[in-house]
Amino acid sequence: MVMQDIEFKLRSMIKEKMEDLSKDIDGLNDFHLIVDIGYDSLQIISLIVDIEKEFNIEFDDDELDMDLVCQFSELLKMTKQQLQAK
């Protein structure tokens, strides 16, 4: 999968769980899932599970630091790293 496709798919998955659809994340290079778009911890956990299923990867529990996975750029980086490790 092309790296740009990964970013597009991640953004799409995040949008599917957004409650406030008026917020536009497409124009943002980076954003915080809780602060900027209003995710709660359950939505983040659900998103992580969906990412693992969608990309057929598994994040190491030690990597799932809430401060990191809430930042889009870090989540994207972690996903790409897992895909490259396959």
Side-chain angles (χ1 to χ4, degrees):
M1 181 175 267
V2 179
M3 293 302 171
Q4 292 168 325
D5 293 340
I6 297 166
E7 181 174 352
F8 177 81
K9 184 61 182 172
L10 267 182
R11 286 179 183 271
S12 296
M13 293 171 76
I14 290 168
K15 284 187 220 177
E16 287 174 11
K17 295 186 182 308
M18 286 174 59
E19 293 177 9
D20 183 356
L21 298 176
S22 69
K23 296 187 180 187
D24 179 23
I25 63 170
D26 289 329
L28 302 175
N29 289 332
D30 199 12
F31 51 89
H32 193 277
L33 295 174
I34 295 173
V35 175
D36 296 326
I37 60 173
Y39 264 40
D40 61 29
S41 58
L42 292 176
Q43 287 171 302
I44 292 170
I45 292 167
S46 176
L47 176 65
I48 295 296
V49 170
D50 289 349
I51 290 169
E52 290 179 327
K53 287 179 183 176
E54 176 69 30
F55 294 108
N56 195 28
I57 58 176
E58 188 172 326
F59 294 109
D60 184 358
D61 289 342
D62 295 335
E63 290 180 326
L64 296 178
D65 179 334
M66 203 58 127
D67 291 331
L68 291 178
V69 298
C70 286
Q71 198 65 39
F72 177 73
S73 60
E74 288 298 321
L75 187 57
L76 178 61
K77 178 179 161 186
M78 290 168 50
T79 303
K80 288 178 178 179
Q81 287 173 340
Q82 287 297 320
L83 285 168
Q84 290 172 343
K86 283 175 62 172

Coordinates of all heavy atoms in Angstrom, one line a residue:
M1 N 0.9 -1.2 0.0 CA 0.0 0.0 0.0 C 0.9 1.2 0.0 O 1.9 1.3 0.7 CB -0.9 0.0 1.2 CG -1.8 1.2 1.3 SD -3.0 1.0 2.7 CE -4.4 0.3 1.9
V2 N 0.6 2.2 -0.9 CA 1.3 3.4 -1.0 C 1.1 4.3 0.3 O 0.0 4.3 0.9 CB 0.9 4.2 -2.2 CG1 1.6 5.5 -2.3 CG2 1.0 3.4 -3.5
M3 N 2.2 4.9 0.8 CA 2.1 5.7 2.0 C 1.0 6.7 2.0 O 0.4 7.0 3.0 CB 3.5 6.3 2.3 CG 4.6 5.3 2.6 SD 4.1 4.2 4.0 CE 5.4 3.0 3.9
Q4 N 0.8 7.4 0.9 CA -0.3 8.4 0.8 C -1.7 7.7 1.0 O -2.6 8.3 1.6 CB -0.3 9.1 -0.5 CG 1.0 10.0 -0.6 CD 1.1 10.5 -2.1 OE1 0.8 9.8 -3.0 NE2 1.6 11.7 -2.2
D5 N -1.8 6.5 0.5 CA -3.1 5.8 0.7 C -3.3 5.5 2.2 O -4.4 5.5 2.7 CB -3.1 4.5 -0.1 CG -3.1 4.7 -1.6 OD1 -3.4 5.8 -2.0 OD2 -2.7 3.8 -2.3
I6 N -2.2 5.2 2.9 CA -2.3 4.9 4.4 C -2.9 6.1 5.1 O -3.8 6.1 5.9 CB -1.0 4.5 4.9 CG1 -0.5 3.2 4.3 CG2 -1.0 4.3 6.4 CD1 0.9 2.8 4.5
E7 N -2.3 7.3 4.8 CA -2.8 8.5 5.4 C -4.2 8.8 5.1 O -5.0 9.2 5.9 CB -1.9 9.7 5.0 CG -2.3 11.0 5.6 CD -1.4 12.2 5.4 OE1 -0.3 12.0 4.8 OE2 -1.8 13.3 5.8
F8 N -4.6 8.7 3.8 CA -6.0 8.9 3.4 C -6.9 8.0 4.1 O -8.0 8.4 4.6 CB -6.1 8.7 1.9 CG -7.5 8.9 1.4 CD1 -8.0 10.1 1.2 CD2 -8.3 7.8 1.2 CE1 -9.4 10.3 0.7 CE2 -9.6 7.9 0.7 CZ -10.1 9.2 0.5
K9 N -6.6 6.7 4.2 CA -7.4 5.7 4.9 C -7.5 6.0 6.4 O -8.6 5.9 7.0 CB -6.8 4.3 4.7 CG -7.7 3.2 5.3 CD -9.1 3.2 4.6 CE -10.0 2.1 5.3 NZ -11.3 2.2 4.8
L10 N -6.4 6.4 7.0 CA -6.5 6.8 8.4 C -7.4 8.0 8.7 O -8.2 7.9 9.6 CB -5.1 7.1 9.0 CG -4.3 6.0 9.6 CD1 -2.9 6.5 10.1 CD2 -5.0 5.3 10.7
R11 N -7.3 9.0 7.8 CA -8.1 10.1 8.0 C -9.6 9.8 7.8 O -10.5 10.2 8.5 CB -7.7 11.2 7.0 CG -6.5 12.0 7.3 CD -6.1 13.0 6.3 NE -4.9 13.6 6.5 CZ -4.7 14.7 7.3 NH1 -5.8 15.3 7.8 NH2 -3.6 15.3 7.5
S12 N -9.9 8.9 6.9 CA -11.2 8.4 6.6 C -11.8 7.7 7.8 O -12.9 7.9 8.2 CB -11.3 7.5 5.4 OG -11.0 8.2 4.2
M13 N -11.0 6.8 8.4 CA -11.4 6.1 9.6 C -11.7 7.0 10.8 O -12.6 6.8 11.5 CB -10.3 5.0 10.0 CG -10.1 4.0 8.9 SD -8.7 2.9 9.2 CE -9.3 1.9 10.6
I14 N -10.8 8.0 10.9 CA -11.0 9.0 12.0 C -12.3 9.8 11.8 O -13.1 10.0 12.7 CB -9.8 10.0 12.1 CG1 -8.6 9.2 12.6 CG2 -10.2 11.2 13.0 CD1 -7.3 9.9 12.5
K15 N -12.6 10.2 10.6 CA -13.8 10.9 10.2 C -15.1 10.1 10.5 O -16.1 10.7 11.0 CB -13.8 11.4 8.8 CG -12.9 12.5 8.5 CD -13.1 12.9 7.0 CE -11.9 13.3 6.3 NZ -12.0 13.6 4.9
E16 N -15.0 8.8 10.3 CA -16.2 7.9 10.5 C -16.6 8.0 12.0 O -17.8 7.8 12.3 CB -15.8 6.5 10.1 CG -15.8 6.3 8.7 CD -15.3 4.9 8.3 OE1 -15.2 4.0 9.2 OE2 -15.0 4.7 7.1
K17 N -15.7 8.2 12.9 CA -16.0 8.2 14.3 C -16.2 9.6 14.9 O -16.5 9.7 16.1 CB -14.9 7.5 15.1 CG -14.7 6.0 14.7 CD -13.7 5.3 15.6 CE -13.5 3.9 15.2 NZ -14.7 3.1 15.2
M18 N -16.0 10.6 14.1 CA -16.2 12.0 14.6 C -17.7 12.3 14.9 O -18.5 11.9 14.1 CB -15.6 13.0 13.6 CG -14.1 13.0 13.5 SD -13.5 14.1 12.2 CE -14.2 15.7 12.6
E19 N -17.9 12.9 16.0 CA -19.3 13.3 16.3 C -19.6 14.7 15.8 O -20.7 15.0 15.4 CB -19.5 13.2 17.8 CG -19.4 11.8 18.4 CD -19.6 11.7 19.9 OE1 -19.9 12.8 20.5 OE2 -19.4 10.6 20.4
D20 N -18.6 15.5 15.7 CA -18.7 16.9 15.2 C -18.2 16.9 13.8 O -17.0 17.1 13.6 CB -18.0 17.9 16.1 CG -18.2 19.3 15.6 OD1 -18.9 19.6 14.6 OD2 -17.7 20.2 16.3
L21 N -19.1 16.7 12.8 CA -18.7 16.6 11.4 C -18.4 18.0 10.8 O -17.9 18.1 9.7 CB -19.8 15.9 10.6 CG -20.1 14.5 11.0 CD1 -21.2 13.9 10.2 CD2 -18.8 13.6 10.9
S22 N -18.6 19.1 11.6 CA -18.3 20.4 11.1 C -16.8 20.7 11.1 O -16.3 21.6 10.4 CB -19.0 21.5 11.9 OG -18.5 21.6 13.2
K23 N -16.0 19.9 11.8 CA -14.6 20.1 11.9 C -13.9 19.4 10.7 O -14.2 18.3 10.4 CB -14.0 19.5 13.2 CG -14.5 20.2 14.4 CD -13.9 19.8 15.7 CE -14.5 20.6 16.8 NZ -13.9 20.4 18.0
D24 N -13.0 20.2 10.0 CA -12.4 19.7 8.8 C -11.0 19.3 9.1 O -10.1 20.2 9.4 CB -12.4 20.8 7.7 CG -11.7 20.4 6.4 OD1 -11.6 19.2 6.2 OD2 -11.3 21.3 5.7
I25 N -10.7 18.0 9.1 CA -9.3 17.5 9.4 C -8.5 17.4 8.1 O -7.3 17.2 8.2 CB -9.3 16.2 10.1 CG1 -9.9 15.1 9.3 CG2 -10.0 16.4 11.5 CD1 -9.7 13.7 10.0
D26 N -9.1 17.5 6.9 CA -8.4 17.3 5.7 C -7.3 18.5 5.5 O -6.3 18.2 4.9 CB -9.3 17.3 4.5 CG -10.1 16.0 4.5 OD1 -9.6 15.0 4.9 OD2 -11.3 16.0 4.0
G27 N -7.6 19.6 5.9 CA -6.7 20.8 5.8 C -5.6 20.8 6.8 O -4.7 21.7 6.7
L28 N -5.7 19.9 7.8 CA -4.7 19.9 8.8 C -3.6 18.9 8.6 O -3.8 17.8 8.3 CB -5.3 19.6 10.2 CG -6.5 20.5 10.6 CD1 -7.1 20.0 11.9 CD2 -6.0 21.9 10.8
N29 N -2.3 19.3 8.7 CA -1.2 18.4 8.6 C -1.1 17.5 9.8 O -0.8 16.3 9.7 CB 0.1 19.2 8.5 CG 0.2 19.8 7.1 OD1 -0.3 19.4 6.2 ND2 1.0 20.9 7.1
D30 N -1.5 18.0 11.0 CA -1.5 17.3 12.2 C -2.6 17.8 13.1 O -3.0 19.0 13.1 CB -0.1 17.4 12.9 CG 0.2 16.4 13.9 OD1 -0.5 15.3 14.0 OD2 1.2 16.5 14.7
F31 N -3.1 16.9 14.0 CA -4.1 17.3 14.9 C -4.1 16.3 16.1 O -3.6 15.2 15.9 CB -5.5 17.4 14.2 CG -5.8 16.2 13.4 CD1 -6.5 15.1 14.0 CD2 -5.5 16.1 12.1 CE1 -6.8 14.0 13.3 CE2 -5.8 15.0 11.3 CZ -6.5 13.9 11.9
H32 N -4.7 16.7 17.2 CA -4.9 15.9 18.4 C -6.3 15.4 18.4 O -7.2 16.1 18.3 CB -4.6 16.8 19.6 CG -4.4 16.0 20.8 ND1 -5.4 15.5 21.6 CD2 -3.2 15.5 21.4 CE1 -4.9 14.8 22.6 NE2 -3.6 14.8 22.5
L33 N -6.4 14.1 18.5 CA -7.7 13.4 18.5 C -8.7 13.9 19.6 O -9.9 14.0 19.3 CB -7.6 11.9 18.5 CG -6.9 11.2 17.4 CD1 -6.7 9.8 17.6 CD2 -7.6 11.5 16.1
I34 N -8.2 14.2 20.7 CA -9.0 14.6 21.8 C -9.2 16.1 21.8 O -10.4 16.6 21.8 CB -8.5 14.2 23.2 CG1 -8.4 12.7 23.3 CG2 -9.2 14.8 24.4 CD1 -7.7 12.1 24.5
V35 N -8.2 16.9 21.8 CA -8.2 18.3 21.8 C -8.9 19.0 20.6 O -9.8 19.8 20.7 CB -6.8 18.9 22.1 CG1 -6.9 20.5 22.0 CG2 -6.2 18.4 23.4
D36 N -8.4 18.5 19.4 CA -8.9 19.2 18.2 C -10.2 18.7 17.6 O -10.9 19.4 17.0 CB -7.8 19.1 17.1 CG -6.5 19.8 17.5 OD1 -6.6 20.9 18.2 OD2 -5.4 19.4 17.2
I37 N -10.5 17.4 17.8 CA -11.7 16.9 17.2 C -12.7 16.2 18.2 O -13.7 15.7 17.8 CB -11.4 15.9 16.0 CG1 -10.6 14.7 16.4 CG2 -10.7 16.7 14.9 CD1 -10.4 13.7 15.3
G38 N -12.3 16.2 19.4 CA -13.3 15.8 20.4 C -13.5 14.3 20.7 O -14.5 13.9 21.2
Y39 N -12.5 13.5 20.3 CA -12.6 12.1 20.6 C -12.5 11.8 22.1 O -12.0 12.6 22.8 CB -11.4 11.3 20.0 CG -11.6 10.7 18.6 CD1 -12.3 11.3 17.7 CD2 -11.0 9.5 18.3 CE1 -12.5 10.7 16.4 CE2 -11.2 8.9 17.1 CZ -11.9 9.5 16.2 OH -12.1 8.9 14.9
D40 N -13.1 10.7 22.6 CA -12.9 10.3 23.9 C -12.1 9.1 23.9 O -11.7 8.5 22.9 CB -14.3 10.1 24.7 CG -15.1 9.1 24.1 OD1 -14.6 8.1 23.5 OD2 -16.4 9.2 24.2
S41 N -11.7 8.6 25.1 CA -10.8 7.4 25.2 C -11.4 6.2 24.5 O -10.6 5.4 23.9 CB -10.4 7.2 26.6 OG -11.5 6.9 27.4
L42 N -12.7 6.0 24.6 CA -13.3 4.8 24.0 C -13.2 4.9 22.5 O -13.0 3.9 21.8 CB -14.7 4.6 24.5 CG -14.9 4.2 25.9 CD1 -16.4 4.2 26.3 CD2 -14.2 2.9 26.2
Q43 N -13.4 6.1 21.9 CA -13.3 6.2 20.5 C -11.8 5.9 20.0 O -11.6 5.4 18.9 CB -13.7 7.6 20.1 CG -15.2 7.9 20.1 CD -15.5 9.3 19.9 OE1 -15.1 10.2 20.6 NE2 -16.4 9.6 18.9
I44 N -10.9 6.3 20.8 CA -9.5 6.1 20.5 C -9.2 4.6 20.5 O -8.6 4.1 19.6 CB -8.5 6.9 21.4 CG1 -8.7 8.4 21.1 CG2 -7.1 6.5 21.2 CD1 -8.0 9.3 22.1
I45 N -9.6 3.9 21.5 CA -9.4 2.5 21.6 C -10.1 1.8 20.4 O -9.5 0.9 19.7 CB -9.9 1.9 22.9 CG1 -9.0 2.4 24.1 CG2 -10.0 0.4 22.9 CD1 -9.6 2.2 25.4
S46 N -11.3 2.2 20.1 CA -12.0 1.6 18.9 C -11.3 1.9 17.6 O -11.2 1.0 16.8 CB -13.4 2.2 18.9 OG -14.1 1.8 17.8
L47 N -10.7 3.1 17.5 CA -10.0 3.4 16.3 C -8.7 2.5 16.2 O -8.4 2.0 15.1 CB -9.6 4.9 16.3 CG -8.7 5.4 15.2 CD1 -9.4 5.3 13.9 CD2 -8.2 6.8 15.4
I48 N -8.0 2.3 17.3 CA -6.8 1.5 17.3 C -7.2 0.1 16.8 O -6.5 -0.5 16.0 CB -6.2 1.5 18.7 CG1 -5.6 2.8 19.1 CG2 -5.0 0.4 18.7 CD1 -4.5 3.4 18.2
V49 N -8.2 -0.5 17.4 CA -8.7 -1.8 17.0 C -9.0 -1.8 15.5 O -8.6 -2.8 14.8 CB -9.9 -2.3 17.8 CG1 -10.5 -3.5 17.3 CG2 -9.5 -2.5 19.3
D50 N -9.7 -0.8 15.0 CA -10.1 -0.8 13.6 C -8.9 -0.7 12.7 O -8.8 -1.3 11.6 CB -11.0 0.4 13.3 CG -12.4 0.2 13.9 OD1 -12.7 -0.9 14.3 OD2 -13.2 1.2 13.9
I51 N -7.9 0.1 13.1 CA -6.6 0.2 12.4 C -5.9 -1.1 12.3 O -5.5 -1.5 11.2 CB -5.7 1.3 13.0 CG1 -6.3 2.7 12.8 CG2 -4.3 1.2 12.4 CD1 -5.6 3.8 13.6
E52 N -5.9 -1.8 13.4 CA -5.2 -3.1 13.4 C -5.9 -4.1 12.4 O -5.3 -4.8 11.7 CB -5.2 -3.7 14.8 CG -4.2 -3.0 15.7 CD -4.2 -3.5 17.1 OE1 -5.3 -4.0 17.6 OE2 -3.1 -3.5 17.8
K53 N -7.2 -4.1 12.5 CA -8.0 -4.9 11.6 C -7.9 -4.5 10.1 O -7.6 -5.4 9.2 CB -9.5 -4.9 11.9 CG -9.8 -5.7 13.2 CD -11.3 -5.6 13.5 CE -11.6 -6.2 14.9 NZ -13.0 -6.1 15.2
E54 N -8.0 -3.2 9.8 CA -7.9 -2.7 8.5 C -6.6 -3.0 7.8 O -6.5 -3.4 6.6 CB -8.2 -1.2 8.4 CG -8.1 -0.6 7.1 CD -9.2 -1.0 6.1 OE1 -10.3 -1.3 6.6 OE2 -8.9 -1.0 4.9
F55 N -5.5 -2.8 8.5 CA -4.2 -3.0 7.9 C -3.5 -4.3 8.3 O -2.4 -4.6 7.9 CB -3.3 -1.8 8.4 CG -3.7 -0.5 7.9 CD1 -4.3 0.4 8.7 CD2 -3.5 -0.1 6.5 CE1 -4.7 1.7 8.2 CE2 -3.9 1.1 6.1 CZ -4.5 2.0 6.9
N56 N -4.3 -5.2 9.0 CA -3.7 -6.5 9.4 C -2.4 -6.3 10.1 O -1.4 -7.0 9.8 CB -3.6 -7.4 8.2 CG -3.5 -8.8 8.6 OD1 -3.9 -9.3 9.7 ND2 -2.8 -9.6 7.8
I57 N -2.4 -5.5 11.1 CA -1.2 -5.3 12.0 C -1.6 -5.4 13.4 O -2.8 -5.4 13.7 CB -0.6 -3.9 11.7 CG1 -1.6 -2.7 12.0 CG2 0.0 -3.8 10.3 CD1 -1.0 -1.3 11.9
E58 N -0.6 -5.4 14.3 CA -0.9 -5.4 15.7 C 0.1 -4.5 16.4 O 1.3 -4.7 16.3 CB -0.8 -6.8 16.3 CG -1.2 -6.9 17.7 CD -1.3 -8.3 18.2 OE1 -1.7 -9.2 17.4 OE2 -1.1 -8.6 19.4
F59 N -0.4 -3.5 17.1 CA 0.5 -2.6 17.9 C 0.9 -3.3 19.2 O 0.1 -4.0 19.8 CB -0.2 -1.3 18.2 CG -0.6 -0.4 17.0 CD1 -1.9 -0.3 16.6 CD2 0.4 0.2 16.3 CE1 -2.2 0.5 15.5 CE2 0.2 1.0 15.2 CZ -1.2 1.1 14.8
D60 N 2.1 -3.1 19.5 CA 2.6 -3.6 20.8 C 2.0 -2.7 21.9 O 1.9 -1.5 21.8 CB 4.1 -3.4 20.8 CG 4.8 -4.0 22.1 OD1 4.0 -4.5 23.0 OD2 6.0 -4.0 22.2
D61 N 1.5 -3.3 22.9 CA 0.8 -2.6 24.0 C 1.7 -1.5 24.6 O 1.2 -0.4 25.0 CB 0.3 -3.5 25.1 CG -0.9 -4.4 24.7 OD1 -1.5 -4.0 23.7 OD2 -1.1 -5.4 25.3
D62 N 3.0 -1.7 24.6 CA 3.9 -0.7 25.1 C 4.0 0.5 24.2 O 4.4 1.6 24.7 CB 5.3 -1.3 25.2 CG 5.4 -2.4 26.3 OD1 4.5 -2.4 27.2 OD2 6.3 -3.3 26.2
E63 N 3.7 0.4 23.0 CA 3.7 1.5 22.0 C 2.4 2.4 22.2 O 2.4 3.5 21.8 CB 3.7 1.0 20.6 CG 4.9 0.4 20.1 CD 4.8 0.0 18.7 OE1 3.7 -0.5 18.3 OE2 5.8 0.0 18.0
L64 N 1.4 1.9 22.8 CA 0.1 2.6 22.8 C 0.0 3.6 24.0 O -0.9 3.6 24.8 CB -1.0 1.6 22.9 CG -1.1 0.7 21.7 CD1 -2.3 -0.3 21.8 CD2 -1.3 1.5 20.4
D65 N 1.0 4.5 24.0 CA 1.0 5.6 24.9 C -0.1 6.6 24.5 O -0.1 7.1 23.3 CB 2.4 6.2 24.9 CG 2.5 7.4 25.9 OD1 1.5 8.1 26.1 OD2 3.6 7.7 26.3
M66 N -1.0 6.9 25.3 CA -2.2 7.8 24.9 C -1.7 9.1 24.4 O -2.3 9.7 23.5 CB -3.1 7.9 26.1 CG -4.5 8.3 25.8 SD -5.3 7.1 24.7 CE -6.7 6.8 25.5
D67 N -0.6 9.6 25.0 CA -0.1 10.9 24.5 C 0.4 10.8 23.0 O 0.2 11.8 22.2 CB 1.1 11.4 25.3 CG 0.6 11.8 26.7 OD1 -0.6 12.2 26.9 OD2 1.4 11.7 27.7
L68 N 0.9 9.6 22.6 CA 1.4 9.5 21.3 C 0.2 9.2 20.3 O 0.1 9.8 19.2 CB 2.4 8.3 21.2 CG 3.7 8.6 21.8 CD1 4.6 7.4 21.7 CD2 4.4 9.8 21.2
V69 N -0.6 8.2 20.7 CA -1.7 7.8 19.7 C -2.7 8.8 19.5 O -3.5 8.8 18.5 CB -2.3 6.4 20.1 CG1 -1.3 5.3 20.1 CG2 -3.1 6.5 21.4
C70 N -2.8 9.8 20.4 CA -3.8 10.9 20.2 C -3.3 11.9 19.2 O -4.1 12.7 18.7 CB -4.1 11.6 21.5 SG -5.1 10.6 22.6
Q71 N -2.1 11.9 18.8 CA -1.5 12.8 17.8 C -1.5 12.1 16.5 O -0.9 11.1 16.3 CB -0.1 13.3 18.3 CG 0.4 14.5 17.6 CD -0.4 15.7 18.0 OE1 -0.8 15.9 19.1 NE2 -0.6 16.6 17.0
F72 N -2.2 12.7 15.5 CA -2.4 12.1 14.2 C -1.0 11.7 13.6 O -0.9 10.6 13.1 CB -3.2 13.0 13.2 CG -3.3 12.4 11.9 CD1 -4.1 11.3 11.6 CD2 -2.5 12.9 10.8 CE1 -4.2 10.7 10.4 CE2 -2.6 12.3 9.5 CZ -3.5 11.2 9.3
S73 N -0.1 12.6 13.6 CA 1.2 12.3 13.0 C 1.9 11.1 13.6 O 2.5 10.3 12.9 CB 2.2 13.6 13.1 OG 2.4 13.9 14.4
E74 N 1.8 11.0 14.9 CA 2.4 9.8 15.6 C 1.6 8.5 15.3 O 2.2 7.5 15.1 CB 2.4 10.0 17.1 CG 3.4 11.1 17.6 CD 4.9 10.7 17.2 OE1 5.2 9.5 17.3 OE2 5.6 11.6 16.8
L75 N 0.3 8.6 15.2 CA -0.5 7.4 14.9 C -0.2 7.0 13.4 O 0.0 5.8 13.2 CB -2.0 7.8 15.0 CG -2.9 6.6 14.9 CD1 -2.7 5.5 15.9 CD2 -4.4 7.1 15.1
L76 N 0.0 7.9 12.5 CA 0.3 7.6 11.2 C 1.7 7.0 11.1 O 1.9 6.0 10.4 CB 0.3 8.9 10.3 CG 0.7 8.8 8.9 CD1 -0.2 7.8 8.1 CD2 0.6 10.1 8.2
K77 N 2.7 7.5 11.8 CA 4.0 7.0 11.9 C 4.1 5.6 12.4 O 4.7 4.7 11.8 CB 4.9 7.9 12.7 CG 6.3 7.5 12.9 CD 7.0 8.5 13.8 CE 8.3 8.0 14.4 NZ 8.9 8.9 15.3
M78 N 3.3 5.3 13.5 CA 3.3 4.0 14.1 C 2.7 3.0 13.1 O 3.1 1.9 13.0 CB 2.5 4.1 15.4 CG 3.2 4.8 16.5 SD 2.1 5.1 17.9 CE 1.4 3.6 18.3
T79 N 1.6 3.4 12.4 CA 1.0 2.5 11.5 C 1.9 2.2 10.3 O 2.0 1.0 9.9 CB -0.3 3.2 10.9 OG1 -1.2 3.5 12.0 CG2 -1.1 2.2 10.0
K80 N 2.6 3.2 9.8 CA 3.5 2.9 8.7 C 4.7 2.0 9.2 O 5.1 1.1 8.4 CB 4.1 4.3 8.2 CG 3.1 5.1 7.4 CD 3.7 6.4 7.0 CE 2.8 7.2 6.1 NZ 3.4 8.5 5.8
Q81 N 5.2 2.2 10.4 CA 6.2 1.4 10.9 C 5.8 -0.1 11.0 O 6.5 -1.0 10.7 CB 6.7 1.9 12.3 CG 7.5 3.1 12.2 CD 7.9 3.7 13.5 OE1 7.2 3.4 14.5 NE2 8.9 4.6 13.6
Q82 N 4.6 -0.3 11.5 CA 4.0 -1.7 11.6 C 3.9 -2.3 10.2 O 4.2 -3.5 10.1 CB 2.7 -1.7 12.3 CG 2.8 -1.4 13.8 CD 3.6 -2.5 14.5 OE1 3.4 -3.7 14.2 NE2 4.4 -2.1 15.5
L83 N 3.4 -1.5 9.2 CA 3.3 -2.1 7.9 C 4.6 -2.4 7.3 O 4.8 -3.4 6.6 CB 2.5 -1.1 7.0 CG 1.0 -1.0 7.3 CD1 0.4 0.2 6.6 CD2 0.3 -2.3 6.8
Q84 N 5.6 -1.6 7.5 CA 6.9 -1.9 7.0 C 7.6 -3.1 7.6 O 8.4 -3.7 7.0 CB 7.8 -0.6 7.1 CG 7.4 0.5 6.2 CD 8.2 1.8 6.4 OE1 8.8 2.0 7.5 NE2 8.1 2.7 5.5
A85 N 7.2 -3.3 8.9 CA 7.8 -4.5 9.6 C 7.2 -5.8 9.2 O 7.8 -6.8 9.5 CB 7.6 -4.2 11.1
K86 N 6.1 -5.8 8.5 CA 5.5 -7.0 8.0 C 6.3 -7.8 7.0 O 7.0 -7.3 6.2 CB 4.1 -6.7 7.4 CG 3.1 -6.4 8.5 CD 1.7 -6.0 7.9 CE 1.1 -7.1 7.0 NZ -0.2 -6.8 6.6

